[in-house]
Amino acid sequence: MPDYSAGHQLDLLQGAQAFFDALVRDIDAATHEVRLETYIFQVYGSGERVAQALMNAAQRGVQVYLVMDGVGTPGLPEPWPKRFDAAGVHWLIFAPLGTFGLLRPSRWRRLHRKLCVVDGKLAYCGGINILDDWWDPHYGPLEAPRFDFTARITGPLVRDTHAAMAQFWWRRQMVRSAQQVDWAGAWQALQQAVHDDPVTGQVMTKGKGALAQLVLRDNVRFRARIERTYSQALGEARKDIMLANAYFLPSRKIRRSLVSAAQRGVRVRLLLQGRYDYFMSYHGTRALYGYLLAGGVEIYEYQSSFLHAKVAVVDGHWATVGSSNIDPLSLLLAREANVVVNDAAFAGTLSAALEQALAHHAVRLDTHQHAQRSLGQKLLDRVALLVMHALLLLTGKRY
């Protein structure tokens, strides 16, 4: 696991409105290059602001690269493909589902990162999609915005983020050229993937600023980095763990780490979904509650809207913000990105936001009531968990 590097300035942004305000402002100021990766890109409501900013940047000569996932974003609505093309936006949809869709387990390996780099000088990393906070594609208008975060970052890890994004883009171009039997184009894309670097130098102040690192998960070199990072932080906790996660189906190792922490006197609080958007995930998670509650872990369910955050704070100084859920899809299959920070000020800001959510927008799960839920409810939870494990076996993975 790489060491932290110093010299970072990090701003925690809560919700899509704050994120889009900052992102559009930075894109509008871009002079050379913008790279953006997202799972969902929906040109609706406030999401249209980002689409327009990307198009405006391309029209003034900025190189704009946009990657969207083929499940989260099966396609852009008309007339946006033509608008992007006319403006000069370079865009692609990663791994479109094709004829058999998700019936092919190989298609479960998704691009779930939410990253952006502007001019090689600043980066964003978090869990927020390009999706209006007050709208859900499946449920329509929301009564309250989603609960989610992203971090705006300057400092050394911007270069790491740019390198990861640029190499991913050119590798996809290489695959596309090879599929079209364009060997010259494939070779050129390979060369770009090896040599691409930020277009401008970033300003770094060595020895000052927050300690931070970019932690990636992919299916080649970094298969278990995010899970190991979480496990290490939980194992070293001495006072307090606050963890908010949208799709929480932890491995046996992480479950044991949480209970072990609680049993050695650490206060462990989990903020999880109270309103679910995916039936199987929600009920599968609840099948694990009994073990965690019996081990002294406090579980709170967010009630005000959909919880989409993937964040944690440990002992008031270690914090992470990113795209990775603590479930098998994120930890075993998807491409994910988290920023991990060792800084009391940043951790304090995130901790305050989580405390606010726990106090005013969540309900603590009652251990006795959970144990006394109906036999039908228990059976539903257990079946959902078993089905999820069975589906995972189709990918050749055990969890």
Side-chain angles (χ1 to χ4, degrees):
M1 189 180 301
D3 294 330
Y4 292 101
S5 56
H8 295 95
Q9 175 66 44
L10 299 107
D11 297 310
L12 183 69
L13 304 173
Q14 181 176 337
Q17 181 172 339
F19 173 38
F20 293 170
D21 284 347
L23 180 63
V24 169
R25 183 170 60 250
D26 288 330
I27 293 173
D28 287 346
T31 58
H32 299 288
E33 182 190 80
V34 175
R35 291 184 179 272
L36 176 65
E37 291 179 2
T38 185
Y39 181 69
I40 298 174
F41 195 115
Q42 188 160 101
V43 187
Y44 174 86
S46 60
E48 185 174 351
R49 295 175 55 207
V50 180
Q52 188 65 51
L54 293 173
M55 192 170 66
N56 292 344
Q59 286 174 332
R60 64 176 185 270
V62 175
Q63 293 296 306
V64 177
Y65 300 91
L66 169 64
V67 186
M68 302 156 282
D69 182 77
V71 170
T73 313
L76 290 170
E78 293 294 343
W80 284 97
K82 294 177 182 177
R83 288 182 179 177
F84 278 168
D85 290 341
V89 174
H90 308 288
W91 63 278
L92 64 84
I93 294 178
F94 171 75
L97 288 181
T99 304
F100 296 101
L102 291 175
L103 294 176
R104 299 167 59 188
S106 62
R107 290 298 187 186
W108 298 356
R109 302 176 184 272
R110 307 314 310 174
L111 174 70
H112 198 243
R113 306 191 306 202
K114 289 89 176 176
L115 294 171
C116 183
V117 173
V118 179
D119 284 345
K121 293 182 177 180
L122 61 94
Y124 290 86
C125 178
I128 304 175
N129 288 292
I130 307 302
L131 175 65
D132 192 287
D133 245 357
W134 295 81
W135 171 264
D136 185 87
H138 304 293
Y139 294 89
L142 302 177
E143 296 178 359
R146 285 179 198 80
F147 186 67
D148 207 350
F149 299 91
T150 197
R152 183 184 185 274
I153 309 152
T154 59
L157 71 76
V158 175
R159 182 176 293 272
D160 298 335
T161 309
H162 182 276
M165 297 179 74
Q167 289 177 15
F168 181 69
W169 173 271
W170 292 114
R171 284 170 184 160
R172 297 313 307 165
Q173 296 299 101
M174 181 179 66
V175 170
R176 177 181 294 182
S177 295
Q179 290 172 339
Q180 297 172 351
V181 199
D182 177 11
W183 302 115
W187 175 251
Q188 181 181 12
L190 177 61
Q191 294 297 102
Q192 286 291 133
V194 172
H195 297 296
D196 207 355
D197 204 16
V199 290
T200 61
Q202 55 186 306
V203 178
M204 291 186 263
T205 307
K206 292 186 177 181
K208 297 181 180 179
L211 297 171
Q213 60 177 292
L214 179 70
V215 183
L216 302 174
R217 205 222 77 87
D218 61 28
N219 294 297
V220 183
R221 295 176 57 199
F222 307 124
R223 295 171 183 263
R225 285 186 70 205
I226 291 179
E227 184 174 15
R228 285 202 300 266
T229 300
Y230 265 111
S231 294
Q232 180 177 341
L234 298 177
E236 294 176 353
R238 293 296 175 264
K239 296 179 180 178
D240 185 80
I241 295 170
M242 279 197 295
L243 189 153
N245 210 264
Y247 306 110
F248 184 77
L249 194 70
S251 64
R252 184 176 288 106
K253 182 177 182 179
I254 291 182
R255 295 199 301 270
R256 288 175 176 171
S257 294
L258 291 167
V259 169
S260 176
Q263 291 178 344
R264 65 175 182 266
V266 178
R267 187 181 185 189
V268 182
R269 288 174 287 175
L270 307 180
L271 179 59
L272 308 177
Q273 283 194 355
R275 294 180 56 186
Y276 69 86
D277 45 2
Y278 295 108
F279 177 90
M280 296 293 290
S281 175
Y282 176 77
H283 283 284
T285 295
R286 293 178 72 84
L288 305 177
Y289 281 2
Y291 170 77
L292 295 170
L293 290 167
V297 175
E298 300 174 28
I299 299 177
Y300 298 78
E301 293 189 328
Y302 192 80
Q303 302 292 322
S304 296
S305 186
F306 290 119
L307 181 146
H308 195 256
K310 305 97 167 53
V311 301
V313 180
V314 176
D315 288 347
H317 65 87
W318 185 97
T320 186
V321 177
S323 65
S324 182
N325 295 295
I326 301 180
D327 75 346
L329 290 177
S330 281
L331 297 179
L332 296 180
L333 298 172
R335 288 170 171 83
E336 304 282 4
N338 280 26
V339 59
V340 177
V341 184
N342 192 341
D343 180 76
F346 182 84
T349 301
L350 177 55
S351 179
L354 294 178
E355 292 281 9
Q356 173 78 8
L358 288 170
H360 301 288
H361 302 284
V363 174
R364 183 174 177 178
L365 212 65
D366 182 273
T367 304
H368 177 73
Q369 287 182 351
H370 180 74
Q372 295 300 314
R373 69 195 192 283
S374 70
L375 180 62
Q377 187 69 51
K378 292 179 180 178
L379 181 62
L380 182 63
D381 295 343
R382 181 58 58 179
V383 168
L385 181 62
L386 291 174
V387 169
M388 292 183 70
H389 279 288
L391 291 173
L392 188 62
L393 288 175
L394 296 177
T395 69
K397 302 286 187 180
R398 302 181 70 88
Y399 187 63

